[in-house]
């Protein structure tokens, strides 16, 4: 039986298959999917530092494609042509821009800033390119002026600090602080000694005070019980009766038509009583002086 494939044919076929697998494998490892169709657009830049093939193309952070090729435009020096493969469903307005940006971890990428035009760029057309300032350049632009203005102040501060460190007064202050620290240690030791001797006595006195407080509390409880057993209701009734009687007596004194009121408010009666009192007083004095006038004793 005649052989259909000879040895050289098999080797050649194997080499071709290996090259094809290698080509597609390298593109696959780069993230390029040759079996997924896409629309191609071109963007020109003056600088593509950090941008590589298979870099993502995003819109508002969402990946819509990738960079398929980067080549220098020899016919127009200073321009670098970047081929973009975008999703077939995506339509690019004419006033859109393809900006190259960069992150701290994911490297450079292309971000498409969609415009608002109603007209769209044809497939294969050019998207105007641009560069987005990276974070480091923005920080350097904003921080360098501030740093330059701070440097003279830092220099003067260092000079002042050197003068302060070399001042003998600082060494004296440090020695004084050492002495103060030593005195504080001594005071702390003495305080610990005093506390070790005095605290037990204070605690003993505190226990005595607690016992006395318990006794006082118990006596107050007994007094409260005795007070609660007193006939408070009947006592208050008696007080109310006495208060009522005093009120009635006061009303009679103030009433001019009552007997007590007449006695208290009648001036003529007051004069008569006063006169009778005077006459009685005179009579008593006369009896004391002339008892025989009023008392006669006859002896039989």
């Amino acid at each position: 039986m005649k052989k259909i494939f000879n040895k050289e044919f098999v080797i050649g076929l194997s080499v071709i298959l290996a090259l094809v697998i290698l080509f597609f494998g390298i593109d696959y490892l780069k993230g390029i999917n040759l079996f997924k169709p896409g629309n191609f657009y071109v963007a020109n830049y003056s600088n593509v530092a950090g941008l590589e093939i298979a870099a993502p193309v995003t819109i508002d952070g969402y990946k819509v494609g990738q960079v398929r090729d980067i080549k220098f435009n020899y016919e127009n020096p200073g321009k670098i042509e970047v081929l973009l493969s975008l999703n077939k469903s995506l339509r690019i307005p004419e006033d859109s821009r393809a900006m190259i940006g960069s992150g701290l971890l994911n490297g450079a990428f292309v971000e498409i800033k969609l415009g608002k035009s109603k007209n769209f760029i044809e497939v294969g057309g050019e998207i105007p390119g641009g560069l987005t300032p990276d974070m480091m350049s923005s920080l350097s632009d904003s921080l360098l002026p501030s740093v330059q203005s701070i440097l003279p102040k830092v220099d003067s501060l260092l000079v002042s600090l050197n003068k302060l460190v070399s001042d003998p007064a600082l060494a004296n202050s440090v020695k004084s602080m050492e002495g103060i620290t030593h005195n504080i240690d001594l005071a702390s030791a003495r305080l610990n000694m005093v506390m070790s001797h005095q605290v037990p006595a204070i605690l003993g006195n505190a226990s005595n005070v607690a016992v006395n407080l318990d006794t006082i509390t118990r006596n107050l409880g007994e007094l409260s019980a005795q007070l609660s057993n007193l006939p408070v209701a009947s006592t208050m009734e008696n007080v109310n009766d006495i208060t009522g009687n005093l009120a009635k007596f006061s009303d009679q004194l103030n009433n001019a038509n009552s007997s007590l009121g007449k006695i208290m408010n009648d001036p003529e009666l007051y004069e008569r009583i006063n006169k009778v009192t005077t006459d009685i007083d005179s009579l008593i004095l006369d009896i004391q002086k002339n008892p025989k006038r009023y008392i006669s004793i006859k002896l039989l």
Side-chain angles (χ1 to χ4, degrees):
M1 183 176 178
K2 187 178 180 180
K3 293 183 179 180
I4 300 176
F5 303 106
N6 55 21
K7 185 176 180 181
E8 290 78 6
F9 179 79
V10 173
I11 294 173
L13 182 62
S14 301
V15 172
I16 293 173
L17 289 176
L19 292 175
V20 171
I21 293 173
L22 180 63
F23 175 76
F24 286 102
I26 292 174
D27 287 340
Y28 177 78
L29 292 176
K30 289 181 179 180
I32 299 175
N33 189 356
L34 298 177
F35 300 101
K36 184 177 181 180
N39 294 331
F40 290 92
Y41 295 87
V42 175
N44 290 303
Y45 302 95
S46 60
N47 189 348
V48 291
L51 187 65
E52 297 179 355
I53 296 176
V57 180
T58 63
I59 296 178
D60 297 331
Y62 181 78
K63 184 179 179 181
V64 295
Q66 59 186 357
V67 176
R68 288 297 297 271
D69 192 15
I70 301 174
K71 61 182 179 179
F72 187 81
N73 190 347
Y74 293 97
E75 297 178 357
N76 188 11
K79 296 293 183 181
I80 301 174
E81 187 177 284
V82 177
L83 183 63
L84 305 177
S85 175
L86 304 180
N87 194 303
K88 291 183 69 68
S89 302
L90 182 63
R91 303 178 69 187
I92 308 298
E94 289 183 346
D95 55 348
S96 301
R97 292 179 63 83
M99 309 296 292
I100 295 179
S102 61
L104 294 176
L105 299 178
N106 55 358
F109 58 92
V110 177
E111 182 178 7
I112 297 178
K113 302 289 186 182
L114 292 178
K116 298 182 179 179
S117 176
K118 300 298 182 181
N119 299 322
F120 300 95
I121 301 174
E122 295 181 358
V123 177
E126 180 180 354
I127 303 175
L131 296 176
T132 301
D134 59 356
M135 185 180 296
M136 295 304 295
S137 61
S138 300
L139 288 176
S140 62
D141 293 340
S142 60
L143 289 179
L144 280 178
S146 301
V147 172
Q148 290 176 356
S149 62
I150 292 174
L151 284 177
K153 298 179 181 179
V154 173
D155 186 40
S156 61
L157 180 61
L158 290 176
V159 172
S160 301
L161 184 61
N162 289 329
K163 291 182 180 179
L164 179 61
V165 172
S166 60
D167 192 352
L170 180 62
N172 295 329
S173 299
V174 172
K175 292 182 179 179
S176 300
M177 289 298 297
E178 291 178 354
I180 293 171
T181 305
H182 180 67
N183 293 332
I184 291 174
D185 292 337
L186 293 177
S188 177
R190 292 178 181 176
L191 180 61
N192 291 331
M193 185 180 298
V194 171
M195 291 294 292
S196 62
H197 290 85
Q198 297 295 331
V199 167
I202 293 173
L203 292 176
N205 293 330
S207 62
N208 295 330
V209 171
V211 172
N212 294 331
L213 288 176
D214 292 338
T215 304
I216 293 171
T217 304
R218 184 169 57 257
N219 293 334
L220 289 175
E222 294 176 355
L223 178 61
S224 176
Q226 294 176 0
L227 290 175
S228 63
N229 294 327
L230 291 176
V232 178
S234 60
T235 302
M236 292 302 297
E237 290 179 357
N238 295 332
V239 171
N240 291 331
D241 294 339
I242 294 171
T243 304
N245 294 331
L246 289 175
K248 292 179 181 180
F249 181 72
S250 176
D251 292 338
Q252 291 180 0
L253 289 177
N254 294 325
N255 189 1
N257 296 322
S258 64
S259 300
L260 291 176
K262 290 179 179 180
I263 294 174
M264 296 297 296
N265 299 316
D266 191 357
E268 184 178 356
L269 178 60
Y270 173 76
E271 294 293 336
R272 289 180 181 178
I273 293 174
N274 192 19
K275 184 178 180 182
V276 169
T277 303
T278 305
D279 293 339
I280 292 173
D281 187 42
S282 300
L283 178 60
I284 293 173
L285 292 175
D286 188 60
I287 291 172
Q288 290 177 352
K289 291 180 180 180
N290 303 302
K292 292 180 179 183
R293 184 183 297 177
Y294 300 97
I295 301 172
S296 61
I297 302 173
K298 293 182 179 182
L299 298 173
L300 295 178

